[in-house]
Amino acid sequence: MSKRVALVTGGTGGLGEAICRKLVDAGYHVVAGYNSGGNHEKAKAWQEKQREAGYEIDVAYGDVTSEESCAACIETVKQLTGRDVDVLVNNAGITRDGQFKKMSWEQWNEVLSANLDSMFHMTRLVINPMIDQGFGRVINISSVNAQKGQFGQTNYSAAKAGIHGFTKALAQEVAAKGVTVNTVSPGYVMTPMVAKIDDSVLEKIAKTIPVGRLGEPDEIGRIVTFLADDQSAYITGADFSINGGLHMF
Ligand code: CAA
């Protein structure tokens, strides 16, 4: 059998890169989905950087807010790999933080669209081939802020909480078909997304993390790879918190 194919949306981003690398280490044919505002050169440069570091990762353009663009992305993956997607990591996401009393419809809509509608667009395209082949792994990246809420993130917390509802419902529908669906909920991890937070605000948040530091992207990649494994067949509809103890429940 040729290598299993893993598609990681937002694959060229902070968490995405670590997830892609861990999946390569675990023997998958990995494709990093990217948007990068349509900057294909940037994605190619990222791919070259991975190659220089010893990681062979394909790249496929796809705007996760658009059904048509996702379909084109999946088509590219098929052309690159010659297989249907075995493992889908719905990782692409954005923030548009701000207090709700000042939040615009655009801030709300952009976050819901990129973080939640994306689940529908991408997963809808891969789920039937997964059912047909009797194997599939859908791994959705949510957030600690879905579980506990976060000042300034009504849009993001709502979208990320929606992901887990989606996960649990879909997990039930496909459980008997060899397809598992799980959520990973990272805390504050060293990525460009977290680096955007004002230093003084981030400092305050960091002080509330019992482990005493931010997370490392590799720590998220590790659990994603564990869930993708053929042997993780009995884990479905679950949510894995990796947050340094920031939220325990
Ligand atoms: N609880 C209560 N009050 C708070 C607060 C908190 N946690 N944080 C800030 N405030 C208060 C301040 O004390 C200040 O109050 P006063 O006006 O009375 O002085 C007020 O809120 C700040 O008002 P601003 O007008 O300056 O703030 P704003 O409306 O522009 O929004 C913010 C501020 C952008 C939301 C900022 O607080 C912030 O960046 N917070 C962090 C948000 C965050 O954690 N984002 C996570 C991004 S990373 C990610 O999302 C990845 C992941 O999954 C974890």
Side-chain angles (χ1 to χ4, degrees), residues 41-207:
E41 289 313 311
K42 191 173 163 200
K44 287 280 171 206
W46 177 86
Q47 185 181 28
E48 198 44 47
K49 194 182 98 188
Q50 303 312 309
R51 193 165 285 144
E52 282 164 16
Y55 289 91
E56 205 50 59
I57 302 171
D58 279 318
V59 291
Y61 173 74
D63 174 355
V64 294
T65 68
S66 152
E67 209 172 345
E68 295 75 35
S69 184
C70 287
C73 176
I74 295 294
E75 205 41 52
T76 307
V77 174
K78 272 191 202 161
Q79 280 165 17
L80 287 167
T81 65
R83 278 179 67 101
D84 286 317
V85 172
D86 297 282
V87 178
L88 171 66
V89 186
N90 281 313
N91 165 68
I94 59 167
T95 52
R96 297 285 182 268
D97 293 353
Q99 289 183 63
F100 185 66
K101 64 183 182 185
K102 293 188 272 181
M103 186 173 285
S104 66
W105 166 251
E106 285 71 28
Q107 276 174 294
W108 173 266
N109 193 43
E110 280 173 28
V111 168
L112 268 288
S113 182
N115 296 15
L116 190 57
D117 292 349
S118 55
M119 297 289 137
F120 176 84
H121 295 145
M122 271 298 181
T123 315
R124 184 70 184 80
L125 290 161
V126 302
I127 203 73
N128 283 331
M130 285 180 177
I131 291 168
D132 290 346
Q133 71 179 9
F135 178 90
R137 299 280 182 264
V138 179
I139 302 160
N140 301 321
I141 307 300
S142 179
S143 166
V144 65
N145 292 342
Q147 299 161 328
K148 71 168 189 58
Q150 171 62 28
F151 186 102
Q153 287 203 304
T154 49
N155 49 2
Y156 186 85
S157 297
K160 291 293 193 180
I163 289 177
H164 195 45
F166 170 80
T167 294
K168 290 189 282 189
L170 182 61
Q172 292 179 35
E173 293 185 16
V174 297
K177 308 291 182 190
V179 182
T180 67
V181 190
N182 291 291
T183 307
V184 173
S185 294
Y188 286 76
V189 179
M190 294 276 198
T191 62
M193 182 185 270
V194 168
K196 272 199 318 202
I197 304 172
D198 212 63
D199 281 353
S200 60
V201 175
L202 188 56
E203 243 170 63
K204 275 193 207 143
I205 292 171
K207 283 194 183 118

Side-chain angles (χ1 to χ4, degrees), residues 19-30:
I19 293 170
C20 286
R21 286 185 173 201
K22 287 281 182 207
L23 286 166
V24 169
D25 287 341
Y28 295 84
H29 185 156
V30 179

